[in-house]
Amino acid sequence: QMTLVESGGGLVQAGGSLRLSCVVSGRPINNYAFGWFRRAPGKEREFVAGINRNGGETGYADSVKGRFTISRDNARNTVYLQMNSLKPEDTAVYYCYARLVRAITWYIYWGQGTQVTVSS
């Protein structure tokens, strides 16, 4: 079993920065791709950023491109989301996600989420 614990959320003014961390326990993260999703009040959960197993490939939602950066430290079993130039519309609960695909079997794990609130 794998456990994901997010931290680093909080209240920040518009234009500020936060760095979210997703610390993984239970198994090494080397074989897993990771992503960050978010859910704003009254909205569907949406993809924010993703990173492949070795960190060589990343992807972002258009709404955060150029402002957010996803990274990983396999030695620390941790994935990060650096969020700069935050906007009030970035307010949401942010979730860390891990995925491993072996043949036709998908292994998916979610964290419990961390609240990010951006004031105007």
Side-chain angles (χ1 to χ4, degrees):
Q1 191 60 275
M2 174 184 267
T3 302
L4 284 62
V5 178
E6 303 96 333
S7 64
L11 174 63
V12 64
Q13 287 189 329
S17 298
L18 285 173
R19 188 175 82 153
L20 305 184
S21 298
C22 173
V23 178
V24 181
S25 61
R27 58 189 63 185
I29 67 171
N30 311 58
N31 291 324
Y32 289 79
F34 279 82
W36 287 93
F37 287 71
R38 67 187 181 188
R39 177 174 284 158
K43 294 188 177 181
E44 300 280 324
R45 185 171 55 194
E46 64 173 357
F47 169 79
V48 175
I51 189 166
N52 70 344
R53 293 184 299 173
N54 63 13
E57 187 173 340
T58 58
Y60 299 91
D62 287 343
S63 58
V64 306
K65 267 181 196 171
R67 300 188 298 121
F68 290 12
T69 303
I70 187 171
S71 62
R72 64 190 294 160
D73 185 340
N74 287 353
R76 295 180 183 272
N77 249 36
T78 303
V79 178
Y80 304 98
L81 185 68
Q82 178 67 44
M83 305 187 296
N84 299 328
S85 302
L86 282 161
K87 304 175 181 179
E89 51 263 44
D90 294 318
T91 295
V93 178
Y94 284 72
Y95 298 91
C96 181
Y97 159 94
R99 185 197 72 197
L100 170 66
V101 180
R102 281 196 176 137
I104 61 171
T105 303
W106 289 57
Y107 300 88
I108 295 175
Y109 301 92
W110 290 92
Q112 83 290 347
T114 185
Q115 176 71 47
V116 171
T117 303
V118 184
S119 63
S120 56

